[in-house]
Each structure stands twice: as structure tokens, then as C-alpha cells.
Amino acid sequence: MAEGWGRRGPWDMMPEGMRRFGLPEQFKRFVDEWETSWLRTEQYRDADSLVVRVELPGIDPERDVEVTVHDGVLSIKAERREDVEKKSKNGYRSEFKYGSFARAVDLPRGARGEDVSASYHDGVLEVRVPVAPESGPGPTKVNVSRD
């Protein structure tokens, strides 16, 4: 499901008249691929680390994923390729799906690329970026006077 659709897909959002009318199968496949082509991510702060989690089910993280840090930007690139062949006495069917995905995240000040770590478990890539505590004095209250 693409971000923003919740539990409903694009076909559920379409007016009933358009659903009854029907659309060409190629267009339906295009929308289904579009719906699943987003890299679904979440970012949050965990103690002194920025954590970026990305859903990447069904891939080989060692072969299909590239994580880099350059000029204060964390880049995540992934490529998915799936080939399906079905042979039966009635015929032969071959189908392939592929796509490249990328996401860039600006890192907070003080983040160092050499300290970044990444792990992959149950279809989720997790990248942890240690972030140095902000240095310098905290906020200063400014008094407001009446004229």
C-alpha cells in the first residue's frame, strides 16, 4: 500500500461508476505497480541516533541495496527484479517485474558517515546514524519590555 492510502487502495478511492465501467487490464497493472513502487520509510530519533527504516521485502540486501552518505545526505537506493515463469500442459507464461527506488534524507549536523550502520531483518532495512549532542549553550530567554 502506498503512503497516504491507509488500508484502502486506489481502486477503492475511485467513484463506483468508474469501477463498474472497468479499465483496461494494462492500466490496472500500471496503477498497481505505481501503488507498490514507493519506498515506505519512517524516521525517528532514538536516544542519540537518527533511525531510518525502509520496507524492502523480497530483496537481497547485499546485492540489491546501496546505502551511502555524502555531503550530509543519507542516500538509499534499491532495485527489485522478479522473474516468474509458469509452464503447464496448456501453455507457457512469463512475467517480470522490476523497479529502482531511491530515497534521500538530510542528516543532522554532527552526523558522520563513517559511524552509520545498516541492518536488514524481515524485509525491513534499518539505518542508524549516531548524532552528536548539540553543543553550545541552550536557548536564551529574551525579555520583552513595554514602551
Side-chain angles (χ1 to χ4, degrees), residues 30-92:
F30 170 78
V31 172
D32 288 341
E33 286 297 315
W34 172 79
E35 180 184 22
T36 59
S37 67
W38 297 90
L39 275 181
R40 293 179 210 128
T41 64
E42 69 175 339
Q43 300 173 40
Y44 59 91
R45 224 25 216 271
D46 180 25
D48 18 336
S49 292
L50 170 67
V51 179
V52 180
R53 295 171 39 99
V54 183
E55 287 184 11
L56 295 170
I59 62 150
D60 180 352
E62 294 169 352
R63 186 187 74 210
D64 301 332
V65 177
E66 179 180 313
V67 179
T68 59
V69 176
H70 182 69
D71 289 337
V73 177
L74 170 70
S75 297
I76 301 170
K77 296 177 184 175
E79 186 172 328
R80 174 176 293 142
R81 182 166 192 80
E82 179 181 349
D83 299 320
V84 177
E85 288 187 40
K86 293 184 181 180
K87 296 178 183 179
S88 69
K89 62 181 179 180
N90 297 328
Y92 172 79

Side-chain angles (χ1 to χ4, degrees), residues 109-125:
R109 283 188 185 151
R112 297 174 3 146
E114 54 271 8
D115 296 334
V116 175
S117 64
S119 61
Y120 182 83
H121 183 70
D122 289 339
V124 177
L125 174 71

Side-chain angles (χ1 to χ4, degrees), residues 85-140:
E85 288 187 40
K86 293 184 181 180
K87 296 178 183 179
S88 69
K89 62 181 179 180
N90 297 328
Y92 172 79
R93 178 177 163 198
S94 175
E95 182 176 335
F96 62 92
K97 298 178 183 179
Y98 60 92
S100 295
F101 316 96
R103 181 68 62 125
V105 177
D106 290 327
L107 297 178
R109 283 188 185 151
R112 297 174 3 146
E114 54 271 8
D115 296 334
V116 175
S117 64
S119 61
Y120 182 83
H121 183 70
D122 289 339
V124 177
L125 174 71
E126 181 176 287
V127 180
R128 289 188 161 268
V129 182
V131 179
E134 293 188 26
S135 59
T140 302

